[in-house]
C-alpha cells in the first residue's frame, strides 16, 4: 500500500490536467475518454485507478487503461478506444513522426521526468556498479550524447536506426539483455526481429569497453520482470518516474522486488500522443 500511495503522489502533477496554474478547480470537468499506458508490473489497472480516483476527478480523462504492447496501445488510440497514449517524449515523437493524424502534446501541467536505467537481479551488484561507472564515463567523454543524436534524434527525424553488432570477445563472459521493442527509438526491434535502437547501441558500447559479450533476447514488455527473475536475461532496460537531479528521490513504485538499478543514463519528459482530430488537442495552453 505504501508503494501505491507514493505512486498517487508522483502522478498528481500529471493527472490534474485541466487546471492552468493558479486556477480554482472547476465544479465539473469535461471528460474526453481514457488514457493508455504500458502495463505495470507491481500494480494492476484497477489498483492504480482506485488509488487515483480522487485525483482523476480533476482530470480530462476518465481512467487509465493498460496495454501489454505499444502496438496494441497505438491501435487503441487510432480506433478511439483511448484519447491519450502516455509514455516518454522520445517514443511519442517517434510515433507522431511515423503516423499521420497523430500529434505529440505535453501534459497540461509540467510533466514528470522519466529516468532510463538498467534493471538487474540484486545479487549482480558488481555488474551494476561496472555499468554505472561506464555510463558516467560515457557522459563525461561525450559518447552518450553522440549515441543519442545518432539513434534517437536522427531516427525521429526520418532516418533508419543502424544495425547494432556487438563486438565478440572469445572466452569472455556473456550478458543477456532483454529488448522489447515497445519504446522506439529507445528500445527498438525491426520488422525482422533484429534488436536496434539507442538502448542496444548503448549496451553494445558499454560491453566493448568492459570486454564482455552481449546477447540480445526479445522479451514481451509485460514479461520483463519474469524474464529477469528466471534467468532468461541478465539486464532489462528500465524506466522510473523521478527527478533526474535528485536520483535518490526517484519513485520505484514499479520496480520488482529483489532487483537493483544502474545510475540513469537518460532523462526524458513524460509526454502524450493524441489524434490530431481529437478535442484533447485544444485543451492545452501554450507551453
Amino acid at each position: 500500500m505504501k508503494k501505491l500511495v507514493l505512486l498517487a503522489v508522483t502522478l498528481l502533477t500529471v493527472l490534474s490536467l485541466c487546471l492552468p496554474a493558479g486556477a480554482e478547480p472547476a465544479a465539473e470537468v469535461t471528460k474526453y475518454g481514457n488514457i493508455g499506458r504500458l502495463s505495470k508490473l507491481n500494480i494492476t489497472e484497477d489498483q492504480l485507478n482506485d488509488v487515483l480516483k480522487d485525483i482523476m476527478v480533476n482530470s480530462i480523462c476518465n481512467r487509465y487503461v493498460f496495454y501489454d504492447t505499444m502496438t496494441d496501445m497505438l491501435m487503441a488510440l487510432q480506433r478511439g478506444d483511448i484519447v491519450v497514449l502516455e509514455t516518454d517524449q522520445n517514443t511519442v515523437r517517434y510515433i507522431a513522426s511515423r503516423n499521420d493524424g497523430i500529434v505529440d502534446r505535453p501534459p497540461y501541467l509540467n510533466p514528470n521526468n522519466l529516468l532510463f536505467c538498467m534493471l538487474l537481479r540484486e545479487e549482480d551488484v558488481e555488474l551494476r556498479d561496472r555499468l554505472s561507472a561506464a555510463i558516467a564515463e560515457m557522459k563525461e567523454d561525450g559518447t552518450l550524447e553522440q549515441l543519442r543524436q545518432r539513434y534517437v534524434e536522427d531516427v525521429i527525424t526520418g532516418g533508419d536506426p543502424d544495425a547494432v553488432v556487438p563486438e565478440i570477445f572469445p572466452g569472455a563472459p556473456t550478458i543477456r539483455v532483454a529488448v522489447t521493442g515497445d519504446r522506439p527509438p529507445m528500445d527498438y526491434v525491426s520488422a525482422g526481429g533484429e534488436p536496434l535502437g539507442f538502448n542496444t547501441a548503448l549496451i553494445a558500447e558499454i560491453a566493448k569497453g568492459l570486454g564482455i559479450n552481449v546477447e540480445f533476447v526479445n522479451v514481451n514488455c509485460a514479461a520483463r520482470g519474469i524474464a529477469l527473475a528466471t534467468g532468461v536475461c541478465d539486464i532489462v532496460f528500465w524506466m522510473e518516474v523521478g527527478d533526474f537531479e535528485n536520483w535518490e528521490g526517484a519513485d520505484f513504485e514499479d520496480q520488482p522486488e529483489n532487483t537493483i538499478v544502474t545510475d540513469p543514463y537518460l532523462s526524458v519528459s513524460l509526454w502524450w500522443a493524441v489524434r490530431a482530430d481529437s478535442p484533447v488537442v485544444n485543451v492545452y495552453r501554450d507551453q
Side-chain angles (χ1 to χ4, degrees), residues 153-199:
E153 295 302 325
D154 291 352
V155 172
I156 288 175
T157 55
D160 293 321
D162 297 330
V164 177
V165 182
E167 192 166 332
I168 297 175
F169 299 93
T174 297
I175 55 173
R176 293 159 305 212
V177 180
V179 180
T180 69
D182 277 312
R183 295 191 190 279
M186 299 292 296
D187 200 348
Y188 186 105
V189 175
S190 71
E194 181 182 12
L196 305 174
F198 175 83
N199 286 340

Side-chain angles (χ1 to χ4, degrees), residues 111-165:
N112 284 323
N113 280 337
L114 303 174
L115 309 176
F116 283 85
C117 52
M118 301 178 205
L119 188 76
L120 299 85
R121 292 180 292 274
E122 63 181 357
E123 61 266 26
D124 292 331
V125 174
E126 181 181 355
L127 177 58
R128 187 274 308 272
D129 291 345
R130 294 179 70 193
L131 293 172
S132 290
I135 289 169
E137 184 176 338
M138 292 172 70
K139 288 180 181 179
E140 182 68 24
D141 66 16
T143 302
L144 193 61
E145 175 57 26
Q146 293 173 9
L147 291 175
R148 190 193 68 82
Q149 182 64 47
R150 179 179 176 185
Y151 286 93
V152 176
E153 295 302 325
D154 291 352
V155 172
I156 288 175
T157 55
D160 293 321
D162 297 330
V164 177
V165 182

